[in-house]
């Protein structure tokens, strides 16, 4: 704004598209930007700004519209395949990429043995729809849960439905005669 009067503060108003009443926010003159918090993700908001000086308030600038972004939705179709080499099992996990209004930057993948409360994270975080957990062989019977979620610049999505993998390893031959893989909803 051009004026010979010092700016006391900026007044900002915003409203969700389709709502008639405005919500006001006041900012000091040292900043020309602000963050409006507690808005609904995936919604359109109208925002307008005006200057306030010691002689009064200026005109509202034309309202602009901005869509808020959502965190990524749940990944789906988590699949686990295994490969046995020298009696060690490598698990390859794949999943479907969720449709999102912001690009997925990476995925977080975690796994744990059935009955264990803590999760182990796969590092580094994969940027594609696939990762491998190496050398999971620690005995002859395995029951693993795996979960995956997408991460964008807006935040982390919800964990996808956990996939469960049951393996029974023949300790003499290193063969895996039984593999069952399914998405399951675990209620805790």
């Amino acid at each position: 704004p051009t004026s010979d009067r010092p700016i006391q503060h900026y007044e900002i108003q915003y409203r969700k598209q389709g709502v008639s009443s405005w919500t006001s926010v006041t900012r000091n003159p040292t900043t020309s930007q602000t963050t409006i918090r507690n808005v609904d993700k995936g919604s359109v908001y109208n925002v307008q700004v005006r200057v306030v000086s010691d002689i009064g308030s200026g005109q509202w600038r034309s309202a602009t519209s901005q869509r808020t972004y959502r965190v990524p939705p749940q990944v789906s179709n988590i699949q686990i395949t295994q490969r046995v080499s020298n009696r060690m099992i490598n698990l390859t996990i794949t999943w479907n990429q969720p449709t999102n209004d912001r690009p997925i930057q990476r995925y977080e993948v975690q796994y744990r043995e059935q009955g264990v409360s803590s999760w182990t994270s796969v590092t580094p975080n994969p940027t594609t729809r696939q990762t491998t957990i190496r050398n999971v062989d620690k005995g002859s019977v395995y029951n693993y849960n795996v979960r995956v979620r997408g991460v964008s610049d807006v935040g982390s999505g919800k964990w996808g439905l956990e996939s469960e993998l049951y393996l029974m390893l023949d300790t003499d031959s290193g063969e895996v005669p039984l593999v069952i893989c399914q998405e399951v909803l675990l209620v805790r």
Side-chain angles (χ1 to χ4, degrees), residues 35-162:
T35 300
I36 299 172
R37 302 194 185 285
N38 301 318
V39 294
D40 295 330
K41 295 175 181 167
S43 299
V44 175
Y45 283 83
N46 300 316
V47 180
Q48 60 185 15
V49 179
R50 71 178 173 184
V51 173
V52 178
S53 71
D54 61 351
I55 58 172
S57 300
Q59 295 293 316
W60 287 109
R61 302 285 276 166
S62 296
T64 60
S65 296
Q66 180 66 48
R67 175 174 295 281
T68 58
Y69 296 112
R70 290 176 256 217
V71 296
Q74 284 183 318
V75 300
S76 62
N77 197 30
I78 299 171
Q79 299 290 318
I80 307 169
T81 55
Q82 52 75 33
R83 217 171 249 201
V84 178
S85 175
N86 295 328
R87 300 172 57 119
M88 300 305 282
I89 299 173
N90 294 327
L91 303 178
T92 299
I93 299 117
T94 59
W95 54 89
N96 290 347
Q97 179 174 339
T99 303
N100 196 37
D101 50 9
R102 302 294 294 167
I104 301 291
Q105 295 174 330
R106 69 182 190 280
Y107 293 93
E108 294 176 345
V109 180
Q110 294 183 335
Y111 67 97
R112 67 180 178 190
E113 285 188 59
Q114 188 75 24
V116 175
S117 62
S118 61
W119 291 90
T120 300
S121 294
V122 174
T123 55
N125 290 316
T127 56
T128 62
R129 298 179 309 106
Q130 175 177 315
T131 193
T132 299
I133 301 171
R134 301 188 186 289
N135 303 327
V136 295
D137 183 19
K138 298 219 185 319
S140 60
V141 177
Y142 310 93
N143 195 348
Y144 282 95
N145 292 88
V146 175
R147 64 185 186 177
V148 180
R149 69 179 173 186
V151 179
S152 72
D153 60 349
V154 178
S156 299
K158 291 182 180 179
W159 291 107
L161 294 179
E162 293 178 22

